[in-house]
Amino acid sequence: MKRMKKQILTLALVPALLLGAVTVPSPQEASAATATGQIVSSVSLRTGASTDASRIRYLKTGEKVTILSKVNSWWYKVRASDGREGYISTNAKYIKTSGTTTSGGGGSSSTGGTASEKAQKVIAAGKKYLGTPYEYGSSRNNTSTFDCSDFVRQAFLDGIGLKLPSDSRGQGSYVKSLGNAKTDWHNLKPGDLMFFMSYKGTSKSSYSGINKSTQTVSHVAIYLGNGQILSTYSKESGGVRIDSIENRHWEYRFLYGGSAL
């Protein structure tokens, strides 16, 4: 009788297990933060890993935080002393750390393969959004519209699980931090990112005499090879599209490019 009850109990547990009653944490959830930080100088706690993200509050000098992950070279995700979570600068003038931090989004990919294979996955993921409408400052929480950096971020996220910074300048800084920046677009490979200065006209002369090393990134695109880019830049152009760059304003505006892998 006891044996029969035990069998019935075991069978009753099976559906619960199949339906997920027992939750197994993902590797990311299972890796607890082991680093702490102390604020050296007052710094903004933001809702996202970008200076464009809204400020939650200021963290005061001397306040202690738990570092949940290192998003990239410029941002930590932290839990403040009041329990609120957000993002702060990794700059040593703002925070002094102790312990070790886990990298989270912006430094690692969940998909294996060679760099070339990963690049092709990113391109394939990006092409699925051809024709998706353009919206400046588009939401990073859906794929109904994109601005240039949102599109690039989504292509890498869908293609290989790599979470890049959410704005084009941050993406450019990330590529530079890897030591992959090139100023001659002919040296780029498919899947590399290309960064451009502001549009000043269609002719080459419109960009003559400009010191490009002092220019600010205003646009980002994915290089497809053969002088073509995949990007989005205006409602009028039809959203996500493919363009040729040689002997066009794209070539004249080009600042630098390189791999984000």
Side-chain angles (χ1 to χ4, degrees):
M1 187 67 176
K2 288 183 179 180
R3 185 176 181 182
M4 183 178 292
K5 287 182 178 179
K6 186 175 181 181
Q7 289 176 333
I8 292 172
L9 179 61
T10 302
L11 289 171
L13 285 173
V14 171
L17 291 170
L18 292 175
L19 290 171
V22 177
T23 303
V24 179
S26 66
Q28 186 175 1
E29 293 170 331
S31 58
T34 59
T36 58
Q38 183 168 347
I39 304 303
V40 177
S41 180
S42 183
V43 62
S44 294
L45 178 68
R46 297 186 180 275
T47 56
S50 168
T51 53
D52 294 329
S54 59
R55 182 185 297 113
I56 299 171
R57 70 176 179 89
Y58 282 108
L59 299 180
K60 297 179 180 179
T61 301
E63 186 172 347
K64 292 184 178 180
V65 299
T66 300
I67 300 175
L68 302 176
S69 66
K70 187 175 183 180
V71 180
N72 53 41
S73 299
W74 308 275
W75 295 95
Y76 288 130
K77 183 177 182 181
V78 303
R79 181 181 296 115
S81 56
D82 61 1
R84 285 189 282 185
E85 295 182 4
Y87 300 82
I88 66 170
S89 170
T90 59
N91 196 311
K93 71 179 182 180
Y94 296 119
I95 184 171
K96 180 181 179 181
T97 63
S98 60
T100 58
T101 59
T102 56
S103 177
S108 63
S109 170
S110 62
T111 302
T114 65
S116 178
E117 289 170 341
K118 290 179 181 179
Q120 290 303 317
K121 289 179 181 179
V122 169
I123 290 172
K127 284 183 175 180
K128 290 181 181 179
Y129 292 110
L130 282 168
T132 301
Y134 176 88
E135 180 187 10
Y136 179 75
S138 58
S139 170
R140 271 50 179 170
N141 297 320
N142 65 66
T143 59
S144 59
T145 60
F146 293 118
D147 60 18
C148 64
S149 53
D150 185 18
F151 165 66
V152 166
R153 179 177 177 273
Q154 194 65 46
F156 274 78
L157 196 58
D158 289 355
I160 60 173
L162 176 62
K163 189 175 183 181
L164 295 177
S166 59
D167 61 281
S168 59
R169 295 174 192 175
Q171 291 168 1
S173 296
Y174 178 66
V175 168
K176 280 188 171 181
S177 76
L178 298 177
N180 295 330
K182 301 176 179 65
T183 54
D184 184 349
W185 69 265
H186 295 89
N187 295 328
L188 298 179
K189 297 178 181 179
D192 285 355
L193 296 184
M194 297 184 71
F195 300 94
F196 304 85
M197 61 178 283
S198 298
Y199 175 80
K200 297 184 180 300
T202 58
S203 66
K204 187 176 183 179
S205 60
S206 300
Y207 303 88
S208 62
I210 294 177
N211 182 358
K212 289 188 175 180
S213 65
T214 64
Q215 294 299 301
T216 301
V217 171
S218 66
H219 183 68
V220 59
I222 300 172
Y223 185 58
L224 300 179
N226 299 317
Q228 292 187 315
I229 56 173
L230 178 65
S231 70
T232 183
Y233 52 89
S234 71
K235 292 181 180 179
E236 295 76 18
S237 65
V240 179
R241 56 179 284 163
I242 295 173
D243 288 279
S244 296
I245 61 175
E246 194 165 11
N247 298 319
R248 297 188 62 208
H249 67 90
W250 293 116
E251 183 174 40
Y252 313 143
R253 295 168 57 190
F254 177 65
L255 297 177
Y256 62 90
S259 174
L261 304 176

